[in-house]
Amino acid sequence: MSAPSTTSITLPTPADPATPKGTAMYTLDKVGKTYRQSSRIVTALKDVSLTIPAGQMVAIQGPTGGGKSTLLQMLGALDRPTSGDVRLGDDVLSKLPDRKLAKLRAKEIGFVFQGFNLIPTLTAQENVETALEPQGVPAEERRRRASDALAQVGLAERAGHVPSELSGGQQQRVAIARALVKEPDVLLADEPTGNLDEQTRDEIMDLLEGLWRDRGLTLVIVTHDSAVAKRAERRLRIAGGSVQEI
Amino acid sequence: MFLTYLRRELAGRRRQTLIVAIGMALAIALVMIVNALSGGVRDAQASVLESVYGVGTDITVTQAPTGPGEGGPGGGRFEFGAEDGETDDAEGSTTVSDSRLTTGMGTATFDDTALDTALSTEGVADAAAALSLSNTTFSGELPDFSQLQGGGGAPGEAGAEAPPTGGADGAGGSAFDVDSFTVLGIDPAASALGPLSSAAVTEGRGLEAADAGADVALLDSAYATTAELAVGDTIDVGGTTMEIVGLVTADTADASTGANVYLPLDTAQALAGLEGQVSTVYVQAASSTDITAVQASLEEALPEATVNTQEDLASSVSGSLSSASTLVSSLGLWLSVAVLAAAFLIAVLFTVSGVTRRTREFGTLKAIGWSNRRVVGQVAGESLVQGLIGGALGIVIGLVGIGAITLIQPTLSGSAGSVQAFGGGEAPAAAAEAADRMGLTGDGGPFAAATTTSDIVLTAPVTVSVVLVAVGLAVLGGLVAGAIGGWRASRLRPAEALRSVA
Ligand SMILES: Nc1ncnc2c1ncn2[C@@H]1O[C@H](COP(=O)(O)OP(=O)(O)O)[C@@H](O)[C@H]1O
Ligand SMILES: [Mg+2]
C-alpha cells in the first residue's frame, strides 16, 4: 500500500480536532427561505432553529414539497437563507461570498444525490477525481486517492467505465466515492436510495453507515423511506417548512 | 482534468461537435475562398492598370475634355475630299489615303507645366508626363461613283446590279484599309515611371534621352505581330515615317501594353500639333501613406485637373474583370457574412442548449466545489476547441476550393478606359459608319488592335493573411459561443444539482 498519510482513507479517521464529536457542527438560528415565483412567494423554510452535533447521523423525513431539499441546500452552502443564520463550525454561511462558499464545499462538504449526478462522459475514476480538482491536488496524488476511494466502495475494477455502463447501485457508489475522496467533515445525501431497489438500497445504506462509523462523519440523509430513516441516531420531520424531532 | 474532461465531452457528444465544426468549417472555407478571390481580382486589376499606367504610379493627373467632340483637333472624323486622292480615269477609281494623329476621344490635353507643378509638390517622389494620341490611317480605292449612278444601286451593292468596270477588284468593288492604332508620346529619358515601366524591351532597344525629337518608335510586340512589323521597319504616324527601333512586351503574360506605338514625347507633340501639351501626368508618391495628401495637394495646385489614385483607377477597369470584382466584393462579401453569421449562430445555439442540457452537471460540479471560473473555462474551452476543429476543417476545405479555382483557371478580360483610341463617343461611330458606307464587313478587324484589353487568368492566391483570417474567425467563433455559453453556465446556481430528476 501507499504511504501512511494516504492510507488513512481505509482507517477510522480520528475526529477533526476543530469539531470533536459532540460539539455543534451545524447551528441554525431562525432560518427562513422564501422563493419568489413571479408574483407568488413560496415559503420553503420557516424559522428553523436546529443544532446538529459533529459526528451525528440525522435522517430528515417529510412530505414532498415540505422543504427537505431546501434545508439540505442551507446545510450544504449551496444557497443562502432569506433570513436567519446558518453556522458550519465557526463559519456563518449566510455571510460568506460565493467564492468562499465554493471553497468550503470543495473542502468540508460531501454530497450524494438521488440521481447520482455523475458526469456522463467521464469514467468512474475521472468522476471521483473531479472532487479533488478545485483543491488543486497534483495529478499523481489525485489519481491514487481516487483509486483508493473507488476501492473502498468496492468498485476498483469498474474504474474505467462511464456511468452508462454501471448499474444504479454502482453509480451511487461512485458518487459516494466522489463525496468522500476529499475527506470532508460532513456528508449530505438527498434521497440517496430513492432510485434504487430494496436490496441495492440496503447495500448503499450499509456502505454509508459504515463510512459514517469509520470516519466520524456528520451524516445528514434526506429520505422518505422509513427503513432508511430507522438507521439514523436522530430523526427530523419537516413539513410546510417547519422542523420537528421525531 | 480540464483537458480530459474537454476531450471526453467533445468525443462523447460527437454529433454536436461535428455539426458545429462543419458549420464553422464551411463558413471559414467560404471566407477564405472569397478572400483569396478578391486578392486575385485585385492582382488582376493591378496588372491591367499596370499595363496602362505602369508600375509605381500612385496618382494620375488628367483633364476632363471640355465637351463631346472637343477632345482634340480633328476629333477622328474621316473627311475625304478630291484633294485627298487622285482620280485615275483609266482605272475608273479614286485612290484615297488619309492619316491623322489626334488625341483619343475622351482625352483632353493640358499644358505640360503641370508636370513641373507635380514634381514640386510635397510628397511627390517622381512624375512623368505622356501624351495619348490615336492614329488613324484610311487608305484604299473608291470606284468612280459617277460611273455607278446609272445602275441606280447603292455604292456597296453596285456589284450586284449592272457590273461596272474598274474598282480595285476590277468589278466596281472597293478595297480599303482602315488602320488605327494608339500612340503614346513619352519622355524618352524617364522610363522608371509611366506606361512603359511595367514593360520589357523584347527586341531592339528602348527609347533613350538622345531620341528626343527623333522620328523613332517603339511598338507593342503584340501589335507588331498583328501589323506584321519588325524592328528596322518603318511605320507611318500622322503622315511621318518613323523608324521602329524596338518592341516592348508587358510584364504580365497575357496583358498588352498601354498603347500600340510609343514615340518620344516631343516628336508626338510636334506631329499632333500639340506643342507643350500632355494628356496624363504619372505621379509617384514618396510613401504610400502620403497618397491621399499628395492627391489633395495636386488637386489644389491643379484645379482644372482630374487627380486619380490607383484606387480610383481600379474602378475604371471594365470588362468581365470588373464584373468579377463586383461579384466578389458584393455577393462574396455578403454571402460570407451571412454564412459566417449562420455558423456563429449555430455554434452559439448548440453551446447554449448544451449548457441548458447540462444544467444538473454544472450544478453538481459547483456543488462539489468547482469555482465559477473553472466551470466557465470548461464551457469556453470546449467551444474554443470546437471552433478550432472547425477552423482546421475549414482551412482544408478552403484550400481544396482555392485549389479547384486555380485548376479551372478562369480567364477574365479587363480594359482600362483612359488610353483607348476608341473609348466611345463619336470617333468609333464615325469610323464604323464610314466602314459601313464603304461596304466593309464590320468584324472589327482594323479596330481591334486599337483597344487595350487584357485577358488575365484569375488566381486565388493563398496568402498568410487568408489563413490568418480563417484561424482568427475560428477562434472568434469559438470565443463568441464560449462567452455566451460560459455566461449562461456562470449563472447556474449550485443548487441546481439537487433539482429532482426528470
Ligand atoms: N428554486 C425554487 N424556486 C421556487 N420554489 C422552490 C424552489 N425550490 C423549492 N421550491 C419550493 O419550496 C418548497 C420546498 O421544496 P423542496 O425543499 O424541494 O421540498 P422537498 O425536497 O421536501 O420535496 C416547495 O413548495 C417547492 O415548490
Ligand atoms: Mg427534494
Side-chain angles (χ1 to χ4, degrees):
Chain A
M1 282 300 281
S2 19
S5 64
T6 58
T7 52
S8 63
I9 194 156
T10 58
L11 304 167
T13 310
D16 191 320
T19 52
K21 199 157 178 128
T23 62
M25 175 63 78
Y26 278 110
T27 312
L28 280 68
D29 183 25
K30 294 203 175 103
V31 171
K33 178 72 183 176
T34 54
Y35 292 106
R36 189 177 284 278
Q37 268 183 332
S38 56
S39 59
R40 214 160 55 93
I41 290 179
V42 181
T43 305
L45 293 178
K46 245 187 292 187
D47 285 340
V48 174
S49 293
L50 186 67
T51 303
I52 300 174
Q56 190 170 58
M57 177 172 172
V58 185
I60 299 176
Q61 290 180 276
T64 300
K68 302 185 296 291
S69 295
T70 305
L71 179 59
L72 209 67
Q73 284 173 32
M74 300 301 133
L75 300 177
L78 297 179
D79 206 349
R80 293 191 184 78
T82 318
S83 59
D85 279 336
V86 178
R87 256 171 212 283
L88 172 59
D90 297 327
D91 296 309
V92 182
L93 300 186
S94 35
K95 301 255 187 313
L96 292 178
D98 285 352
R99 202 170 40 79
K100 285 261 169 65
L101 290 182
K103 265 198 177 140
L104 206 101
R105 293 194 298 267
K107 278 191 71 174
E108 317 273 357
I109 302 166
F111 276 105
V112 177
F113 310 93
Q114 179 176 2
F116 321 133
N117 293 20
L118 298 176
I119 312 299
T121 52
L122 296 182
T123 63
Q125 166 82 20
E126 289 156 355
N127 263 288
V128 176
E129 288 184 34
T130 59
L132 297 175
E133 181 71 12
Q135 296 183 54
V137 177
E140 185 54 38
E141 185 189 340
R142 204 176 61 206
R143 232 160 273 147
R144 196 184 54 233
R145 281 172 68 177
S147 302
D148 289 350
L150 276 175
Q152 250 219 313
V153 298
L155 279 179
E157 330 77 75
R158 314 291 284 175
H161 291 259
V162 292
S164 59
E165 295 164 352
L166 300 173
S167 72
Q170 287 172 329
Q171 288 187 54
Q172 197 60 302
R173 283 169 187 270
V174 175
I176 290 168
R178 177 178 65 182
L180 293 177
V181 69
K182 61 192 171 195
E183 299 177 18
D185 297 334
V186 180
L187 181 61
L188 305 175
D190 193 4
E191 310 264 14
T193 58
N195 285 11
L196 304 174
D197 60 56
E198 274 182 32
Q199 194 200 323
T200 315
R201 174 197 70 188
D202 292 341
E203 286 168 18
I204 291 294
M205 281 314 297
D206 288 345
L207 176 64
L208 283 175
E209 218 181 312
L211 288 165
W212 165 68
R213 268 185 219 293
D214 291 348
R215 299 185 172 208
L217 286 168
T218 304
L219 175 59
V220 180
I221 298 181
V222 167
T223 182
H224 28 259
D225 190 333
S226 296
V228 170
K230 268 187 210 134
R231 296 178 174 235
E233 295 178 300
R234 177 184 180 191
R235 289 163 73 175
L236 299 173
R237 180 186 154 80
I238 181 165
S242 301
V243 176
Q244 287 172 295
E245 303 275 346
I246 300 178
Chain B
M1 193 78 238
F2 170 74
L3 287 179
T4 310
Y5 189 12
L6 195 152
R7 196 157 39 82
R8 295 258 193 257
E9 280 303 316
L10 293 184
R13 304 176 202 275
R14 202 168 281 132
R15 205 164 51 114
Q16 165 180 343
T17 306
L18 265 184
I19 291 172
V20 172
I22 287 173
M24 202 76 105
L26 290 178
I28 286 169
L30 189 68
V31 169
M32 277 179 73
I33 291 170
V34 168
N35 210 322
L37 270 182
S38 75
V41 168
R42 246 193 328 273
D43 288 354
Q45 272 176 337
S47 73
V48 169
L49 287 175
E50 248 170 42
S51 70
V52 178
Y53 301 100
V55 182
T57 299
D58 298 314
I59 294 171
T60 60
V61 178
T62 54
Q63 195 158 324
T66 40
E70 292 174 43
R77 189 183 291 278
F78 293 90
E79 283 154 2
F80 297 102
E83 73 276 10
D84 282 333
E86 38 190 80
T87 308
D88 184 342
D89 288 321
E91 293 278 315
S93 61
T94 306
T95 305
V96 292
S97 174
D98 188 35
S99 177
R100 288 173 183 247
L101 185 62
T102 60
T103 55
M105 285 310 297
T107 308
T109 59
F110 50 95
D111 208 88
D112 63 6
T113 51
L115 176 62
D116 302 325
T117 309
L119 281 168
S120 60
T121 299
E122 202 184 319
V124 170
D126 198 7
L131 177 62
S132 170
L133 299 164
S134 159
N135 189 90
T136 311
T137 306
F138 190 94
S139 59
E141 287 177 15
L142 282 167
D144 190 345
F145 286 107
S146 58
Q147 255 192 21
L148 300 174
Q149 298 309 316
E157 295 157 4
E161 298 259 325
T165 55
D169 54 1
S174 313
F176 282 101
D177 212 2
V178 179
D179 187 20
S180 184
F181 52 85
T182 52
V183 176
L184 197 63
I186 55 170
D187 182 351
S191 61
L193 194 60
L196 280 190
S197 56
S198 66
V201 175
T202 45
E203 252 177 84
R205 62 174 180 87
L207 291 182
E208 291 153 9
D211 290 325
D215 290 343
V216 291
L218 290 185
L219 259 60
D220 173 61
S221 59
Y223 176 70
T225 309
T226 316
E228 293 176 1
L229 290 169
V231 173
D233 291 350
T234 60
I235 182 168
D236 186 298
V237 180
T240 304
T241 303
M242 298 284 152
E243 188 196 347
I244 300 167
V245 295
L247 300 186
V248 289
T249 308
D251 269 353
T252 323
D254 309 299
S256 52
T257 55
N260 302 134
V261 176
Y262 297 86
L263 300 180
L265 180 58
D266 41 7
T267 307
Q269 286 170 334
L271 281 177
L274 292 165
E275 275 85 359
Q277 295 284 298
V278 293
S279 57
T280 310
V281 174
Y282 303 84
V283 177
Q284 185 173 39
S287 141
S288 61
T289 51
D290 293 347
I291 292 174
T292 325
V294 171
Q295 182 184 24
S297 310
L298 287 173
E299 273 168 349
E300 203 181 303
L302 303 163
E304 305 272 283
T306 306
V307 182
N308 285 317
T309 61
Q310 281 278 1
E311 224 166 281
D312 302 329
L313 297 174
S315 62
S316 74
V317 172
S318 58
S320 58
L321 179 54
S322 149
S323 321
S325 163
T326 315
L327 198 70
V328 168
S329 64
S330 57
L331 182 66
L333 180 71
W334 287 115
L335 195 65
S336 4
V337 167
V339 173
L340 203 60
F344 276 30
L345 196 68
I346 289 173
V348 168
L349 288 180
F350 269 90
T351 306
V352 167
S353 88
V355 170
T356 307
R357 187 162 31 76
R358 291 159 74 188
T359 293
R360 201 156 63 99
E361 177 175 330
F362 292 135
T364 302
L365 288 172
K366 289 186 179 187
I368 66 172
W370 280 44
S371 65
N372 236 344
R373 203 177 49 79
R374 205 175 281 272
V375 172
V376 169
Q378 198 68 45
V379 172
E382 287 173 18
S383 289
L384 190 62
V385 171
Q386 230 163 37
L388 288 177
I389 293 173
L393 215 59
I395 289 177
V396 171
I397 299 174
L399 289 179
V400 168
I402 290 170
I405 290 170
T406 309
L407 275 181
I408 295 166
Q409 292 201 325
T411 305
L412 298 173
S413 68
S415 41
S418 132
V419 191
Q420 284 173 284
F422 294 98
E426 218 179 333
E433 204 183 297
D436 263 1
R437 199 153 11 106
M438 300 312 152
L440 290 174
T441 45
D443 67 347
F447 302 104
T451 48
T452 320
T453 300
S454 306
D455 281 337
I456 289 173
V457 172
L458 183 64
T459 58
V462 180
T463 57
V464 173
S465 77
V466 166
V467 175
L468 283 184
V469 162
V471 173
L473 285 174
V475 171
L476 183 69
L479 283 181
V480 167
I484 296 175
W487 175 75
R488 295 274 301 216
S490 78
R491 288 168 52 91
L492 291 178
R493 300 176 322 122
E496 297 287 357
L498 290 178
R499 252 230 297 246
S500 55
V501 204

